[in-house]
Amino acid sequence: MTINHYHYLRPEINSLLASDELFAKAEQQPTRYSYAEAMLELGEKNPKVVVLDADVSKSIKTNEFADKFPDRSFNFGIAEQNMMAAAAGMATTGLIPYATTYAVFASMRALDMVRNSIHYPKLNVKIAASHGGITPGPDGVTHQGQEDLSIIRAIANSTIIAPADPATTKLAVWAAAEYDGPVYLSFTRDPVPAIFDLNYPFKIGRAVTVRDGSDASIIANRDLVVQALIAAEHLAAKGLNVRVIDCHTLKPLDADVVLAAAAETGAIVTAENNVFYGGLGSAVAEVLVENNPIPMKRIGVRDTFAESGPYLDLLEKYGLSAKHIAAAVEEVIERK
Amino acid sequence: MSSKPMSVEELEKMAVIIRCDIIDMICTAAAGHPGGSLSATDVVTALYFRIMRIDPENPDWPDRDRFILSKGHACPVWYAALAERGYFDKSHLKTLRQMGSILQGHPDMRKTPGIDMTTGSLGHGLSAGLGMALSAKLQQKDYHVFVVIGDGESQEGSIWEASMAAPRFKLDNLTAILDYNHLQNDDSVDDIMPIHPVIDKWQAFGWNVIDIDGHDMVQVVQALEEARSHQGAPTIIVANTVKGKGVSYMENVCEWHGKAPCQDEADQALEELRR
Ligand SMILES: Cc1ncc(C[n+]2csc(CCOP(=O)(O)OP(=O)(O)O)c2C)c(N)n1
Ligand SMILES: [Mg+2]
């Protein structure tokens, strides 16, 4: 019945969305592995692509790139700052380095290099950041990259992509290679369901409506896109028809799609597994407040550090699950 | 206050108990870092049961010696030592990495009694220890600061920034212990980014260097006592260790850096350790 409301979903997902068994039954993968798989193909196609690691290549599986292209793989050891500035240097010579580590270290340990040596000269470095948000559950706070998207967004010349699932992760990794300039790519540590087909129309900066709806819109990124879809399905059971937008590119934000959602649905909830300052919620709010200030609510990590625990339990505890998104949608509809 | 310092024989027995706790804890959590916990066990045991001036009843005692596990991922060894020393009930060890636990995946000084510094992002602990040691000098306190660092961790530039600064400030109240187990996450340290000649490097930076077998309790105790009394410069103990020490199938095997044993594997490990 709901099938026509969705776009680009794999058929399996269509049937599981309403079932409460999505995470138990759907095919899934941590998107860090999807990144590593995409790099094997990219390495084949584009000889300028090189991979830089900082002693987490076995965790992200870029060690497979190293096996396949030993000459184009460089492990710097546990030295993220050196790796980032070296990536900048390599980019000046025409190579396309994918500098790979965890989000906390990519965006914070090496931030000065990322800002001054990569973004200021607008060098063609791709920063591949795994362990986004609180997806690295059990490792705890030091490994949970919940601020990186906000931090990188504040830097001029930045492009940020936080894809929702394995297929769109691959599309993002490949699109980044075609773009001349720094791109920050964000991946999950924990598995997320494979929701989309490879026929998904991926374009940097172009948000995609993946579920039609007219009562309100949920604009989500990375691992909360699937939570948004689950929320919309639950709301459908209550007679609410909610649009879901996969806003994979955080920057540049697709203001056209945001404003169309505002005009056509009249209420917006943003959903991100990231601090709710400076990330997707802030970006959407900035567009709305200057153009069409409709009722809006932000789902995100609320000015707190999380803790060690299973990923899905943490989403519940820190207010990021489908349940919380659905409640926020009902609230904004109420305020219309 | 603190109990009587242990003899070498007692320390060796305690190290076995702590290694068993580590295996149990990581097996129950089904996640964690056994290799680097087991390699650091003898050093941490000697510190907590003989060397350090501490009071488990009073973990925030201002005059206590400080300990920092800069390679924070090896926190199971720290948690086990703290529990065995009486900082908190041993039952907590079963809650490692679970929601609401006082035992986080990486050390959290606000959640766990006895943890003197939050760590987990590599390359911070030696600088934090340097700060504590500087404070002791300023405040004319006689506590000593011990920091365990990893060999992979030693690739971080910040380690060498601290290495340069400690002799500059004449911090003879600071002791670093390098857990030289030759493995990191991806592979051997020599293959990824060699740090040798490590003794020459630290000497060149102005440190008193002591080279020991990090699993020989007599040498461990002697080195720590010497480091504590050395005047005029900080000491680094290069503890030559084996990653996964004590568990045959983990010893020198890179994969056991961050992998939990299943129950059968844990049972075998416990049997070997208790032998
Ligand atoms: C800054 C930073 N980069 C990367 C990591 C991920 N990481 C955790 S442990 C580890 C390897 C540590 O190797 P080593 O210092 O030799 O520790 P040990 O062998 O004693 O376990 C890495 C890369 C981290 N925790 N912090
Ligand atoms: Mg090591």
Side-chain angles (χ1 to χ4, degrees), chain B residues 175-204:
Chain B
T175 295
I177 301 108
L178 172 64
D179 187 3
Y180 202 6
N181 61 26
H182 297 274
L183 290 175
Q184 53 190 103
N185 184 63
D186 280 350
D187 206 336
S188 79
V189 175
D190 279 354
D191 285 331
I192 297 291
M193 192 59 66
I195 63 167
H196 59 73
V198 91
I199 292 174
D200 296 351
K201 280 180 178 142
W202 287 88
Q203 269 169 352

Coordinates of all heavy atoms in Angstrom, one line a residue, chain B residues 175-204:
Chain B
T175 N 57.8 9.7 35.7 CA 58.4 8.5 35.1 C 57.5 8.0 34.0 O 56.3 7.8 34.2 CB 58.6 7.4 36.1 OG1 59.5 7.8 37.1 CG2 59.0 6.1 35.5
A176 N 58.0 7.8 32.8 CA 57.3 7.2 31.7 C 57.7 5.7 31.6 O 58.9 5.4 31.9 CB 57.6 7.9 30.4
I177 N 56.8 4.8 31.3 CA 57.1 3.4 31.1 C 56.6 3.1 29.6 O 55.4 3.3 29.3 CB 56.4 2.5 32.1 CG1 56.8 2.8 33.5 CG2 56.8 1.0 31.7 CD1 55.8 3.5 34.3
L178 N 57.5 2.8 28.8 CA 57.2 2.4 27.4 C 56.9 0.9 27.4 O 57.7 0.1 27.6 CB 58.3 2.7 26.4 CG 58.2 2.2 25.0 CD1 57.0 2.9 24.3 CD2 59.4 2.5 24.2
D179 N 55.6 0.6 27.0 CA 55.2 -0.8 26.9 C 55.7 -1.3 25.5 O 54.9 -1.2 24.5 CB 53.7 -0.9 27.1 CG 53.3 -2.4 27.1 OD1 54.1 -3.3 27.0 OD2 52.0 -2.6 27.2
Y180 N 56.9 -1.7 25.4 CA 57.5 -2.0 24.1 C 57.2 -3.4 23.6 O 58.0 -4.3 23.7 CB 59.0 -1.8 24.2 CG 59.8 -1.5 22.9 CD1 59.1 -1.3 21.7 CD2 61.2 -1.4 22.9 CE1 59.8 -1.0 20.6 CE2 61.9 -1.1 21.8 CZ 61.2 -0.9 20.6 OH 61.9 -0.6 19.5
N181 N 56.0 -3.5 23.1 CA 55.5 -4.9 22.7 C 55.5 -5.1 21.2 O 55.1 -6.2 20.7 CB 54.1 -5.1 23.3 CG 53.0 -4.1 22.7 OD1 53.2 -3.6 21.6 ND2 52.0 -3.9 23.5
H182 N 56.0 -4.1 20.5 CA 56.3 -4.3 19.0 C 55.2 -4.4 18.1 O 55.3 -4.7 16.9 CB 57.4 -5.4 18.8 CG 58.7 -5.1 19.5 ND1 59.7 -4.3 18.9 CD2 59.1 -5.4 20.7 CE1 60.7 -4.2 19.7 NE2 60.4 -4.8 20.8
L183 N 54.0 -4.3 18.6 CA 52.8 -4.4 17.8 C 51.9 -3.2 18.0 O 51.8 -2.7 19.1 CB 52.0 -5.7 18.0 CG 52.6 -7.0 17.6 CD1 51.7 -8.2 18.1 CD2 52.8 -7.1 16.1
Q184 N 51.2 -2.8 16.9 CA 50.1 -1.8 17.0 C 48.9 -2.3 16.4 O 48.7 -3.6 16.4 CB 50.6 -0.5 16.5 CG 51.1 -0.5 15.0 CD 51.8 0.8 14.7 OE1 53.0 0.9 14.6 NE2 51.0 1.8 14.3
N185 N 47.9 -1.5 16.0 CA 46.7 -2.0 15.5 C 46.8 -2.7 14.2 O 46.3 -3.9 14.0 CB 45.7 -0.8 15.3 CG 44.3 -1.3 14.9 OD1 43.6 -2.0 15.6 ND2 43.9 -0.9 13.7
D186 N 47.5 -2.1 13.2 CA 47.5 -2.7 11.8 C 48.6 -3.8 11.6 O 48.4 -4.6 10.8 CB 47.8 -1.5 10.8 CG 46.5 -0.7 10.5 OD1 45.5 -1.2 10.9 OD2 46.6 0.3 9.9
D187 N 49.7 -3.7 12.4 CA 50.8 -4.6 12.1 C 51.9 -4.4 13.1 O 51.6 -3.8 14.1 CB 51.3 -4.3 10.7 CG 52.0 -5.5 10.0 OD1 52.4 -6.4 10.8 OD2 52.1 -5.6 8.8
S188 N 53.1 -4.8 12.8 CA 54.2 -4.6 13.7 C 54.6 -3.1 13.6 O 54.5 -2.5 12.5 CB 55.4 -5.5 13.4 OG 56.1 -5.1 12.3
V189 N 55.1 -2.6 14.7 CA 55.6 -1.2 14.7 C 56.7 -1.0 13.7 O 56.7 0.0 13.0 CB 56.0 -0.8 16.2 CG1 56.6 0.6 16.2 CG2 54.8 -0.9 17.1
D190 N 57.6 -2.0 13.6 CA 58.7 -1.9 12.7 C 58.2 -1.8 11.2 O 58.8 -1.1 10.4 CB 59.6 -3.1 12.8 CG 60.6 -3.0 14.0 OD1 60.6 -1.9 14.6 OD2 61.3 -3.9 14.3
D191 N 57.1 -2.5 10.9 CA 56.6 -2.5 9.5 C 55.8 -1.2 9.3 O 55.8 -0.7 8.1 CB 55.8 -3.7 9.2 CG 56.6 -4.9 9.0 OD1 57.8 -4.7 8.6 OD2 56.2 -6.0 9.3
I192 N 55.1 -0.7 10.3 CA 54.2 0.5 10.0 C 55.0 1.7 10.1 O 55.1 2.5 9.1 CB 53.1 0.5 11.1 CG1 52.1 -0.7 11.0 CG2 52.3 1.8 11.0 CD1 51.3 -0.7 9.7
M193 N 55.7 2.0 11.2 CA 56.5 3.3 11.3 C 57.4 3.0 12.5 O 57.1 3.3 13.6 CB 55.5 4.4 11.6 CG 56.1 5.8 11.5 SD 56.9 6.2 9.9 CE 55.4 6.2 8.9
P194 N 58.6 2.6 12.2 CA 59.6 2.2 13.2 C 59.9 3.3 14.2 O 60.0 4.5 13.8 CB 60.8 1.8 12.5 CG 60.5 1.7 11.1 CD 59.2 2.5 10.8
I195 N 60.1 3.0 15.5 CA 60.4 4.0 16.5 C 61.8 3.9 17.0 O 62.3 4.7 17.8 CB 59.4 4.1 17.6 CG1 59.4 2.7 18.4 CG2 58.0 4.4 17.2 CD1 58.7 2.8 19.8
H196 N 62.5 2.8 16.6 CA 63.9 2.6 17.1 C 64.9 3.6 16.4 O 64.5 4.1 15.3 CB 64.3 1.1 16.8 CG 64.3 0.7 15.4 ND1 65.2 1.1 14.5 CD2 63.4 0.0 14.7 CE1 65.0 0.6 13.3 NE2 63.9 -0.1 13.4
P197 N 66.0 3.8 17.0 CA 66.5 3.3 18.2 C 65.9 4.1 19.4 O 66.3 5.3 19.6 CB 68.0 3.5 18.1 CG 68.2 4.7 17.2 CD 67.0 4.8 16.3
V198 N 65.0 3.4 20.1 CA 64.2 4.2 21.1 C 65.0 4.7 22.3 O 64.8 5.8 22.8 CB 63.0 3.3 21.4 CG1 63.2 2.4 22.6 CG2 61.8 4.2 21.6
I199 N 66.0 3.9 22.7 CA 66.8 4.3 23.9 C 67.6 5.5 23.5 O 67.6 6.5 24.3 CB 67.7 3.1 24.3 CG1 66.9 2.0 24.9 CG2 68.8 3.6 25.3 CD1 67.6 0.7 25.2
D200 N 68.2 5.5 22.3 CA 69.0 6.7 21.9 C 68.2 7.9 21.8 O 68.6 9.0 22.2 CB 69.6 6.4 20.5 CG 70.6 5.3 20.6 OD1 71.0 4.8 21.7 OD2 71.1 4.8 19.5
K201 N 66.9 7.7 21.3 CA 66.1 8.9 21.1 C 65.8 9.6 22.5 O 65.9 10.8 22.6 CB 64.8 8.5 20.4 CG 64.9 8.4 18.9 CD 63.6 8.0 18.3 CE 63.8 7.9 16.8 NZ 63.1 6.8 16.1
W202 N 65.3 8.8 23.4 CA 65.0 9.4 24.7 C 66.2 9.9 25.4 O 66.1 11.0 26.1 CB 64.2 8.3 25.6 CG 62.8 8.1 25.1 CD1 62.4 7.2 24.1 CD2 61.6 8.8 25.5 NE1 61.1 7.3 23.9 CE2 60.6 8.3 24.7 CE3 61.4 9.9 26.3 CZ2 59.2 8.7 24.8 CZ3 60.1 10.3 26.5 CH2 59.0 9.8 25.7
Q203 N 67.3 9.2 25.3 CA 68.5 9.8 25.9 C 68.9 11.1 25.3 O 69.2 12.1 26.0 CB 69.7 8.8 25.7 CG 69.8 7.9 26.9 CD 70.8 6.7 26.7 OE1 71.3 6.5 25.6 NE2 71.0 6.0 27.7
A204 N 68.8 11.2 24.0 CA 69.1 12.5 23.3 C 68.2 13.6 23.7 O 68.5 14.7 23.7 CB 69.0 12.2 21.7

